[in-house]
């Protein structure tokens, strides 16, 4: 029995997110587990570094699974890429220590959120960014984003109202970059609550539009979801990197 | 009555190419004409700089049309982008001289062909490059591509066997670039025959694979389609620029 760590890219447009839900087969986890289970002729469970939302994407989601096989890492990679649909791909596989767990050992994650705000849709990236026509003040968003840095209770930035676990998370870095016709938000933290990135960006977006003052401190203090900005559409969101 | 020049991007995946064919509505030209005709309440014909193949894309196809309207260029652009499907977008519109014709006045066109040859599919670009696993010798392809430069009879690089017009074309430049996991072919010429770019790249591809020697001179002389390489899949092809 070996423990394997894999890096996976996916275009999440037609999936209900990473995590298997009951019997639904339309999740990334479900797709990969089915193929691995056939490969080794027994049930395989694969552990992701975290859920990603329905419709959101990953450039390098990390997961691990334990199987007994004669195949080399390269052979497993080729087997998976042969049978996976063309919107899921395995980038790398490596044997790791049996104690490695993709979620429990993850130190930080970096998400990207993309907004094309020119009003002219990017036809090639239509599934990977939020298309809008808006006059966004990038400097205002950059300035406001500093309020997110450090450790905070992000309860107001979480869509799960029944969250019983700690909602304290630490944000290490936020870069807001203009890239051709887009603004791109890179957000690195030690963990993210349900919809947290999309609500953080939604709040900055409303600040950029001039619809909202920089009231992020107040939103934190309120611990009230309704005080924060909109949940941005999932299509613009991509898990870029998980660091260990 | 004014003459308008427009620049159009499209993801051609679900279309039968640029050019209207009889009654089929699933062409880029047909989609744009329908919307313009509704806008001015009369039939509008739009002239493209050239056809693009079914399934091929354009970053900046150029076309022109003559209409009588009170709308400004910006208003026409917004009208089109509001009613066009999300895989077609108008980038720019400008009034031009009444004698301007997007095809007849075009001096050069630049096409891009993309091959991801790592065997690991690029899930985000799956509709925009040819995905394969191959050991490609880029230097060999670069060296061989020089034989295409200049003026030649490209009859052997054309899928239309009934072509009655001149099949002489001039290639000004070919750049073959490695870009991350891809090789990208940029080809600039004064015009292109049916499938010409895809057959040129197919021939270079077979040379890069080591399946074929650099026999491009012989292929030219043979004037025989069967002597040239495969027609690469349309998905990897994109019209990048039309120069006037």
């Amino acid at each position: 029995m070996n423990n394997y760590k894999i890096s996976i890219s996916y275009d999440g447009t037609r999936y209900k997110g990473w995590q298997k839900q009951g019997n639904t087969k339309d999740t990334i986890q479900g797709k990969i587990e089915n193929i691995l289970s056939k490969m080794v002729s027994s049930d395989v469970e694969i552990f992701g570094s975290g859920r990603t939302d329905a419709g959101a994407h990953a450039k390098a989601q990390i997961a691990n699974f334990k199987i007994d096989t004669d195949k080399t890492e390269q052979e497993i990679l080729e087997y998976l890429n042969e049978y996976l649909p063309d919107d899921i791909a395995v980038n790398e596989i490596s044997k790791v220590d049996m104690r490695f767990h993709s979620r429990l050992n993850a130190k930080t994650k970096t998400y990207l959120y993309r907004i094309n705000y020119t009003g002219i849709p990017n036809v090639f990236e239509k599934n990977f960014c939020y298309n809008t026509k808006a006059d966004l003040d990038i400097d205002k968003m950059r300035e406001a984003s500093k309020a997110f840095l450090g450790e905070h209770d992000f309860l107001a930035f979480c869509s799960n109202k029944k969250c019983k676990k700690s909602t304290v998370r630490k944000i290490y870095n936020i870069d807001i970059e203009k890239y051709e016709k887009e603004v791109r938000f890179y957000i690195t933290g030690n963990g993210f609550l349900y919809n947290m990135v999309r609500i953080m960006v939604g709040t900055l977006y409303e600040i950029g539009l001039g619809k909202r003052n920089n009231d992020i401190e107040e939103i934190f203090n309120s611990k009230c979801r309704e005080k924060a900005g909109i949940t941005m559409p999932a299509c613009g969101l991509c898990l870029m990197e998980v660091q260990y």
Side-chain angles (χ1 to χ4, degrees), chain A:
Chain A
M1 186 78 88
N2 283 302
N3 190 12
Y4 295 91
K5 175 186 173 189
I6 63 173
S7 160
I8 308 144
S9 293
Y10 46 87
D11 167 356
T13 308
R14 66 187 186 98
Y15 295 98
K16 293 195 172 156
W18 164 265
Q19 180 142 320
K20 213 172 36 176
Q21 298 161 24
N23 283 323
T24 61
K25 302 268 180 196
D26 44 5
T27 63
I28 324 292
Q29 183 187 9
K31 287 278 179 197
I32 302 175
E33 282 184 358
N34 284 347
I35 295 168
L36 281 174
S37 298
K38 275 184 194 151
M39 190 185 84
V40 298
S41 304
S42 68
D43 283 353
V44 177
E45 188 168 0
I46 157 165
F47 302 94
S49 74
R51 304 174 184 201
T52 53
D53 298 345
H57 318 289
K59 193 180 175 198
Q61 165 74 294
I62 303 296
N64 72 293
F65 55 88
K66 292 173 183 172
I67 58 169
D68 199 4
T69 179
D70 292 336
K71 288 190 196 292
T72 64
E73 288 99 313
Q74 180 62 24
E75 285 167 345
I76 303 172
L77 180 142
E78 288 176 10
Y79 186 96
L80 282 166
N81 283 333
E82 186 172 344
Y83 292 104
L84 281 167
D86 68 357
D87 46 14
I88 307 176
V90 176
N91 306 308
E92 283 180 332
I93 298 195
S94 56
K95 272 186 204 168
V96 286
D97 191 283
M98 286 301 278
R99 287 165 300 182
F100 174 82
H101 188 291
S102 63
R103 181 169 56 82
L104 300 177
N105 296 143
K107 288 213 168 67
T108 67
K109 285 179 193 162
T110 301
Y111 277 94
L112 164 63
Y113 197 93
R114 296 167 59 183
I115 301 175
N116 169 349
Y117 62 105
T118 58
I120 297 173
N122 182 336
V123 297
F124 305 111
E125 302 290 323
K126 59 185 178 300
N127 292 334
F128 307 113
C129 55
Y130 173 59
N131 282 301
T132 182
K133 183 179 180 171
D135 197 10
L136 283 177
D137 187 329
I138 310 279
D139 287 333
K140 244 187 186 175
M141 295 195 292
R142 276 197 192 114
E143 185 57 34
S145 72
K146 292 176 187 167
F148 284 123
L149 298 176
E151 197 166 78
H152 302 276
D153 184 341
F154 279 87
L155 187 59
F157 295 90
C158 174
S159 291
N160 182 358
K161 290 184 180 175
K162 293 173 188 165
C163 192
K164 285 177 187 165
K165 295 181 188 167
S166 167
T167 47
V168 173
R169 294 291 184 278
K170 192 170 181 178
I171 299 297
Y172 295 105
N173 195 51
I174 302 184
D175 278 324
I176 302 178
E177 294 176 9
K178 259 193 87 166
Y179 181 85
E180 293 179 0
K181 297 174 177 177
E182 291 179 22
V183 54
R184 296 184 171 186
F185 301 77
Y186 290 89
I187 304 182
T188 301
N190 65 353
F192 293 90
L193 306 169
Y194 184 49
N195 287 168
M196 180 170 143
V197 175
R198 291 161 61 188
I199 302 170
M200 287 170 70
V201 174
T203 306
L204 292 172
Y205 179 64
E206 291 176 358
I207 291 170
L209 288 173
K211 282 188 178 175
R212 171 188 284 275
N213 294 320
N214 179 359
D215 57 355
I216 294 170
E217 277 305 319
E218 288 166 49
I219 304 171
F220 277 135
N221 293 334
S222 77
K223 300 191 180 185
C224 171
R225 167 67 190 94
E226 284 68 34
K227 296 284 182 193
I230 57 165
T231 304
M232 297 297 283
C235 62
L237 186 64
C238 186
L239 172 59
M240 297 299 281
E241 198 183 351
V242 185
Q243 293 99 340
Y244 291 91

